[in-house]
Amino acid sequence: MKTTLSLFCCSLSLLFCFYLPRGSLSAGVDRCKLPPRGWNSYDSFCWTISEDDFLKSAKVVAKYLKSYGYEYVVLDYLWYRRLVPGAYTDSLGFDVIDQWGRMVPAPDRWPSAKSGNGFAEVAKEVHSLGLKFGIHVMRGLSRQAFDANTPILDINTGRAYEESGREWRAQDIGIKERSCAWMPHGFMSVNTSLPAGRAFLSSLYHQYAEWGVDFIKHDCVFGDDFNLEEITYVSGLLKKFDRPILYSLSPGTSVTPTMAKELKGLANMYRVTGDDWDSWGDVASHFDVARDFAKAEMVPGEGLLGSSWPDLDMLPLGWLTDAGANQGPHRQCNLTLDEQRTQMTLWSMARSPLMFGGDVRQIDETTYKLITNPTLLEINDYSSNNMEFPYVTGKILSPARNHLMRRSKISMLKRVNNHHTRVVGVTSCKDPNVNGWSVESLGQYHEQICWRKEDEQLNREPLCLYKRKPLLASSNEHVLYGQDNRRLFTSDDGVKSCLDASPRHKLTSSEWKKKQPSFSTCRGDDNQMWKLSSNATLRSSYSGLCARVKQVKANDVRTSGVRSWIATGRQGEIYVAFFNLNVEKTLISAKLSDMAKVLPGRNLEDKAACKGREVWSGQRYEAVADSLEMVVDKHGCALFTLNCS
């Protein structure tokens, strides 16, 4: 049974990039340098939200969450799609576009758009609440506009774009072969090398600015669909507007720090994982990627008119819907309270943007207290030296005999066996680990391309991809299908599967474990064409990404063991978080002398006295002379605030 909040929270008007306080935090802070925080409609409404539901949600955010820094209300995808039978995520022909091929709000769901002013009235209402309005947009050009071959608006003349004595249209700039991987019937890239392609993008983003949009979530341009050309051009447009517009990139499948470093100065937040939903596997899968970006010193990085932040995705807490559902919120979050605390604590320690995804109209008191916890928000805003702490140890407690069973270090996570497998993925060609391919002859007429990096040292057979002839005789690129340990990657009908430049749809972490996302049915499409370069890289001209092979454990070792994070506060305090990924209660401990190894300059000798408290239990520590320890429940966490002399 949910308990609807009957609270009143005093709120301050928050203006982007002005020197104003965030909730009850002190003034004099450059707000461009804080992780963005707000509410996004996707986890609770999927794409079916209406204007009435959105504005009611915005009013709740303004009343209960704004004073805690939740300042953005973001409308997620397909706001231009009519909610009629036959319309779904990848359907074609149900979108509302204007005469210039630009998406406009579907009037059956957004009645204020009937005036022809798009989201101007919605943005005005959101701004009157002291909030900022955000929208989700897709890459480039819609398939619907391409099929209709709409003219391109020249924002300088207000007429159709003309160059070289002719009028340019959608089919002149759309790259149909570079369709969005998870929405192939929806959107495609535009040719940004053409002035007409740039003119179309300019017409899109000037329209968003005219509507009063403060936040752009740009989808299908990052991760497996990395499109640096479009990102760069859009970023340049946003930089020229007379007011700041926050720039967010999505999705985040296969993102590495190397790829993300190419965004320097271009965006404010960027997804580093696939879609996160309310399953323990999804939560646990974020520990490694959060560690990697912190280790790469990208928390924060240089962003557009401020800082940039690795984004661990929205917080699917409270009242939700299901991924891809054609309906609004209808169920409670599947995570236990311990798992929810673990997620919120990791997101805060990693300083990820905090975008709440639950239905704020029905937020329960437990969820509310979690997402407004003052210690977590302080850590998320102002902590520094954030990193995974590698010296934590854990002892699993036997539920039957209630005594210590075994000691487990972070580097020795529980596993069923030591079997390894290899996974082919795609990443930026600037990644230093992509140059491990070589070509080998299989006889007079056949060749294979093999990944030999690491394999020779481990004395094992290499992973090889087998060449098929390209469809066009003029092409020097080949379709590749794969084999690992003499097992062909095949689809369910037994057809050979070919190496794909990107997965065909969004993958949650649970789906990722079940599928081979880099292979799909062989069709000879452009996104299955690869070229082996002289520097031993295997490059896709479709995505501009390179293939690489990673070794992973056969079982998902990320879902067990113990982890820890550490950070320092702006008043000199030390934050330490323990995470229990095991299914049993675990005694987790860490020595102060080990903390000193990662916090140089701090006086943390074994006999140094530290005082503090644990956030979730409220337990106080008057003297921590040698080590910190606590029994942590299954999938739970402990969060300590320490003040050390």
Side-chain angles (χ1 to χ4, degrees), residues 507-617:
L507 293 173
T508 64
S509 65
S510 57
E511 290 177 309
W512 190 278
K513 289 179 284 185
K514 298 176 183 178
K515 298 176 183 286
Q516 176 56 262
S518 300
F519 288 84
S520 59
T521 303
C522 295
R523 299 173 306 277
D525 293 346
D526 282 6
N527 64 337
Q528 292 180 341
M529 298 294 182
W530 297 83
K531 182 177 182 179
L532 181 66
S533 302
S534 58
N535 62 352
T537 59
L538 193 59
R539 183 184 179 93
S540 164
S541 59
Y542 168 81
S543 65
L545 301 176
C546 284
R548 65 162 294 187
V549 176
K550 295 181 68 175
Q551 177 177 283
V552 297
K553 302 291 188 301
N555 59 304
D556 186 12
V557 300
R558 298 172 300 179
T559 59
S560 62
V562 295
R563 311 293 282 261
S564 180
W565 273 66
I566 194 168
T568 54
R570 55 177 169 166
Q571 302 299 326
E573 63 269 54
I574 299 173
Y575 300 111
V576 181
F578 291 163
F579 299 99
N580 178 21
L581 279 62
N582 296 314
V583 296
E584 306 96 342
K585 285 187 176 182
T586 301
L587 176 66
I588 305 178
S589 61
K591 293 181 179 181
L592 293 181
S593 58
D594 286 332
M595 295 181 197
K597 296 176 182 178
V598 298
L599 298 176
R602 301 301 297 267
N603 182 21
L604 295 175
E605 300 298 333
D606 286 356
K607 295 184 180 180
C610 292
K611 296 181 179 181
R613 68 183 182 94
E614 197 282 315
V615 171
W616 305 118
S617 66

Side-chain angles (χ1 to χ4, degrees), residues 249-543:
L249 303 179
S250 184
T253 47
S254 302
V255 170
T256 63
T258 300
M259 179 188 293
K261 285 178 180 178
E262 297 187 55
L263 300 176
K264 184 177 180 180
L266 297 178
N268 302 107
M269 52 188 281
Y270 51 91
R271 281 270 298 281
V272 293
T273 69
D275 284 2
D276 173 68
W277 279 94
D278 53 329
S279 72
W280 172 244
D282 276 13
V283 174
S285 69
H286 287 69
F287 279 90
D288 285 351
V289 69
R291 173 203 62 202
D292 293 345
F293 277 84
K295 187 176 181 180
E297 299 182 345
M298 301 181 70
V299 184
E302 182 183 338
L304 175 64
L305 301 176
S307 299
S308 65
W309 305 91
D311 177 16
L312 298 180
D313 201 16
M314 292 170 286
L315 296 162
L317 309 173
W319 201 240
L320 307 170
T321 189
D322 295 306
N326 273 27
Q327 60 178 320
H330 64 278
R331 65 175 180 84
Q332 189 61 265
C333 173
N334 289 320
L335 297 174
T336 67
L337 179 56
D338 282 319
E339 291 168 345
Q340 293 178 49
R341 287 174 173 172
T342 290
Q343 180 167 31
M344 189 70 186
T345 303
L346 177 63
W347 265 235
S348 297
M349 291 293 285
R351 302 196 72 192
S352 169
L354 299 180
M355 291 291 175
F356 178 59
D359 184 356
V360 290
R361 304 168 308 169
Q362 303 184 69
I363 190 170
D364 59 275
E365 190 169 0
T366 299
T367 302
Y368 179 77
K369 288 182 177 179
L370 179 61
I371 66 173
T372 60
N373 182 282
T375 302
L376 291 179
L377 299 186
E378 171 73 16
I379 293 170
N380 184 249
D381 271 338
Y382 298 113
S383 59
S384 58
N385 302 313
N386 305 66
M387 68 186 79
E388 185 174 76
F389 179 62
Y391 302 107
V392 66
T393 62
K395 298 178 182 179
I396 294 177
L397 301 178
S398 167
R401 298 188 297 275
N402 194 31
H403 68 269
L404 302 182
M405 292 292 290
R406 68 176 183 268
R407 189 174 183 88
S408 172
K409 287 185 179 290
I410 189 172
S411 59
M412 293 295 292
L413 301 178
K414 188 177 75 172
R415 58 177 65 103
V416 176
N417 55 52
N418 292 320
H419 177 64
H420 295 75
T421 188
R422 286 163 286 179
V423 174
V424 182
V426 288
T427 186
S428 168
C429 291
K430 295 184 180 180
D431 189 317
N433 297 310
V434 296
N435 56 340
W437 297 97
S438 62
V439 63
E440 299 179 4
S441 174
L442 288 176
Q444 186 175 0
Y445 302 107
H446 301 284
E447 291 181 334
Q448 62 181 1
I449 296 174
C450 297
W451 178 268
R452 290 200 170 275
K453 207 168 188 176
E454 300 107 9
D455 289 329
E456 292 180 354
Q457 298 176 6
L458 297 174
N459 193 28
R460 65 183 179 189
E461 289 295 318
L463 183 149
C464 295
L465 302 169
Y466 297 83
K467 292 174 62 174
R468 300 180 65 189
K469 292 182 179 180
L471 288 181
L472 301 177
S474 59
S475 175
N476 64 348
E477 297 172 322
H478 289 74
V479 178
L480 303 170
Y481 65 89
Q483 185 179 33
D484 185 7
N485 296 332
R486 297 190 176 89
R487 178 177 61 84
L488 285 174
F489 293 109
T490 58
S491 55
D492 293 337
D493 58 6
V495 178
K496 292 177 180 177
S497 290
C498 287
L499 182 62
D500 206 333
S502 58
R504 305 306 299 170
H505 68 288
K506 284 186 175 180
L507 293 173
T508 64
S509 65
S510 57
E511 290 177 309
W512 190 278
K513 289 179 284 185
K514 298 176 183 178
K515 298 176 183 286
Q516 176 56 262
S518 300
F519 288 84
S520 59
T521 303
C522 295
R523 299 173 306 277
D525 293 346
D526 282 6
N527 64 337
Q528 292 180 341
M529 298 294 182
W530 297 83
K531 182 177 182 179
L532 181 66
S533 302
S534 58
N535 62 352
T537 59
L538 193 59
R539 183 184 179 93
S540 164
S541 59
Y542 168 81
S543 65

